[in-house]
Amino acid sequence: MAGLQELRFPEEKPLLRGQDAAELENSDTFLLAVDTDWKEHDIETPYGLLHVVIRGSPKGNRPAIVTYHDVGLNHKLCFNTFFNFEDMQEITKHFVVCHVDAPGQQVGASQFPQGYQFPSMEQLAAMLPSVVQHFGFKYVIGIGVGAGAYVLAKFALIFPDLVEGLVLINIDPNGKGWIDWAATKLSSLTSTLPDTVLSHLFRQEELVSNTELVQSYRQQIGNVVNQANLQLFWNMYNSRRDLDINRPGTVPNAKTLRCPVMLVVGDNAPAEEGVVECNSKLDPTTTTFLKMADSGGLPQVTQPGKLTEAFKYFLQGMGYMPSASMTRLARSRTSSLTSASSVDGSRPQACTHSESSEGLGQVNHTMEVSC
């Protein structure tokens, strides 16, 4: 095992500051984007229509970037801040980008008829090959948050040949136990649906301290997403089963994600425990774990710059964008790392990256990034 190599990063404050509160009260902050190049599609799948938006066209053998949002959100509320971030444009110009909305969660969605059976989490994953086939993607790199991360992980387990890499933010690989189910049921009786969802997105400390961000999401969840449809998605997510994954070598015939994975969680996120457990169940030679300081429950919203840099390194570790600029990282690096043998995360202050000489030079990507 090679020695640890340390990287230091200049401090970067969260994107959402007090002076932006007025903007956050306006839904345009989340919903308006540079949408002129995006095209909407409703795609037939074995379990109903799936709304997606896409920009670009397949580029040779390059995978498409496919996103899946968390429960309570849609692709705009979940990913607009991240994909509109200036440095992210250097990535997206090289890939076709496809945002998937869970059934009935997109802006302006009609309410499902009474008696509609919302797809299970496994069925949501089984809808995605129809998207891949519709656009002619050879394979994808998935970026999922919360419930969307679970769906993409399930998709990769069922259809491993279609997935080249995954960025899983706030993933919880565990199903709800009886105590968790009872607590969720009680919360639904005493709180509004938006407030119940907010407790899934943010830990109590952030609900109290980051009032501008929380109030903005409370407003958007209540006004933008159809509440009856959201309730169906929320109920199905809380009925999910454990992801059937185990670290190779820990149990006979262990199943795990075969592709490179970057796990991401904020240091003050409700999902922190779940992400740590997911990390313990994945192959350490193909897994990167980023614990991001000062990012809370939605790191793609509060720290898009740092997440973008980490994503660039993740892509470089897979052999893409070898000449992509790493301005902030390049200035702050204290060790020389080559893109062919490293996948680095990024956060202010310091992180460590460990390399393994075992198995034909395979790299141990598992690491923790924190202040």
Side-chain angles (χ1 to χ4, degrees), residues 107-148:
V107 176
S110 299
Q111 184 168 319
F112 290 125
Q114 188 172 4
Y116 171 80
Q117 179 60 48
F118 196 87
S120 68
M121 302 302 288
E122 290 76 13
Q123 289 170 337
L124 291 176
M127 297 169 83
L128 294 177
S130 298
V131 177
V132 173
Q133 183 179 14
H134 180 87
F135 295 113
F137 302 152
K138 290 183 173 60
Y139 29 79
V140 305
I141 295 173
I143 303 178
V145 180

Side-chain angles (χ1 to χ4, degrees), residues 34 37-38 54-59 62-67 79-99 143 308 311-312 315 321 324:
V34 185
D37 296 330
W38 295 93
I54 187 170
R55 183 175 66 184
S57 56
K59 296 173 171 59
R62 288 200 171 195
I65 295 174
V66 173
T67 75
F79 291 112
N80 263 12
T81 300
F82 182 45
F83 277 86
N84 289 341
F85 190 73
E86 182 179 1
D87 289 355
M88 192 65 176
Q89 308 315 305
E90 183 178 6
I91 295 176
T92 57
K93 71 182 181 182
H94 295 288
F95 297 89
V96 58
V97 178
C98 180
H99 295 304
I143 303 178
T308 297
F311 186 40
K312 285 182 182 179
L315 291 172
M321 302 176 60

